[in-house]
Amino acid sequence: MNSVSKSGENRNASKESGSQPALPTANVRTIVNLLLFMHLFSLAVVLLWQTNSSPASVQLHSIPAGYLKPLHLDVAFDDGHPGARNQLQAPALDLRHRERSRRALLHFTHGGPLDDELTLEFSYRSEDSGTMIFLPPPGTFSSLRRDRFQRLAWEIARAAYDPTAREALAGVLGQALLARFNVEQGELRVVRHRAQTTAQAKSRDSAVANPLDERYRETLIAFDIRTVGNAVTLSVIEQAVATSAEDSTGMSAPAVDGSIAPDDENRQRTAPRLGPIRQGGEP
Amino acid sequence: MISSLQNYVRDTAYAFGESWNEFWLRPANPRPLAYLRIGVGLLLLYWFLTFFPDLTTLFGSNGLLTVDGVTQWERTVFAQRLPFSDAYRQGMGPSVNMSVLAFCESSTDLWVATSVAMLATISLVSGVYTRFSCVLTLVMFLSFVNRAPLLCGPFEAVAAMLLFYLALSPCGAVCSFDRWRQLRKSPPLESDPYARTLCHAPPRWSATVTQRLIQVHLCAIYLFMALAQWGGGGGETPWATGEAIWLLAARPTSGLGFGWLANAPVLIDFWTHGMWVFELIFPLLIWTKRVRPALLFLAGCVWLSFAMLTGMFAFCLLMIVAGLAFWPGASVSPQALRS
């Protein structure tokens, strides 16, 4: 014991006598180390139990959550659904999986339909004409601003497959959109702009090779929103259904000749769209 | 036998404690934190600016994301899943409650709050009352984040981490208005002219702790970024199959026209796997002094190329700025810094 402490003192003394500045006092060291340990433990719990949904891990996770959540340090790094490349159906299939309200989305892409570029389109009709609002507005330069609306569309598309979440969305967005434009009925659409495959990008057909071609656009989900009395109802009028090709690769398989799949191949329609529309700008 | 075992345990414990204190608490120059403060502050200024066009659209009384709406959405979507509901009740209430913006009832209130946030960020960048302005910037930033967590992504995750640690650090001790004011008020007695410059301040242990926390947390982010890309817990992802970079480049709003990549499948594979390997080795090799400069240079190249590919310039610049946490500051004497 003595030899240990003596050697320790010697080592400390040699460091203190050198050009290096001295360590803080023992009391300060104790307090700082205690706080450090608590913070690092909290971070470790939040980071290590990202996807585990066992009751024990959830209970453990709830301890530092009250401290890390206000600081936005409790984010999940991916989309929260392990191995679910077809994220369209993930919420419905994976109810036992823990959901996080905060995601860093640092995986950037998992090749699923929701990893493509998404746009929110709200259309409504007043008197004899219709108006369509795009979110984000076309030509938005800032990626930060664009990504905010992308993530909003992402949340809507995910929640759409869960009846409870869908009802919540009616309360959030439906009501707000109808009130904002002072209309009683409208249509909210999450549109996916499919990423080209390399075969399509190399195609000799100029329409196929054009990444902005309309045929790459696909409605993931469309809602009819309307005011009934004091309540807002929301019903699904169009919904993309994952094909077997999408199940295995996360993307619609290109045709052999690199052409684009027909627009309505992967969807079910349950009601007609609104009448003639006029394209508008920002809300 | 038992005695030697006891000695071994004591020696090991002592050595660990000594290394721990050395790593976390040996006073260091706060200059790297000042660089971080300026870089993060400028990017946050841009972040706040991007809210201007959508402030009332998103958060106004007739906005898309009303306070009640977001609360209801968060409660319904994230509280319904068992056993998560237990954890939710115990301390993970709605985020909106933790936001100053929840009290902004009119659009004027929203504009005032955003203006305060921007003024605080400008003060942070220039180092005016740095401690206060940093805390105020953090509060305002988190208010925006907690007002609508569903709008947040990679940028917010990394910025929150950096800003939180900067608020704890003496990041205004150098390269700041505070330092200039301090020099005017009481010039140092040291004969060394370097001690009288804006870029010099005595080493502080609080600088070391916060710089180390940023370093460790950044390494964790890199590691979990790689893990999330590879599998997200299982399954084959485009990062494993080598097509991720193409999928990101093929987005219509992606960077600078990378359509030509379609003719270079080998480059797509190499880029995808190269980026993933970089994210994996960064947290392991950055601690090696000899490799560190090369790795930081590589980080600059990786994130700049990724920014051009995806158009995510703000996030990529933030990752480059975060790398400044590994700028030599810990336990470096002023003489070494001068040279």
Side-chain angles (χ1 to χ4, degrees), chain B residues 5-28:
Chain B
L5 191 67
Q6 279 178 336
N7 282 342
Y8 168 75
V9 172
R10 274 185 206 135
D11 266 344
T12 309
Y14 185 85
F16 175 77
E18 197 182 41
S19 307
W20 174 276
N21 283 334
E22 194 64 30
F23 181 83
W24 290 103
L25 293 168
R26 177 69 63 190

Side-chain angles (χ1 to χ4, degrees), chain B residues 8 36 48 58 63 90 103 137 170 174 195 252 330-331:
Chain B
Y8 168 75
L36 265 173
F48 282 121
L58 290 171
Q90 282 174 21
F103 304 101
T137 308
V174 291
S331 306

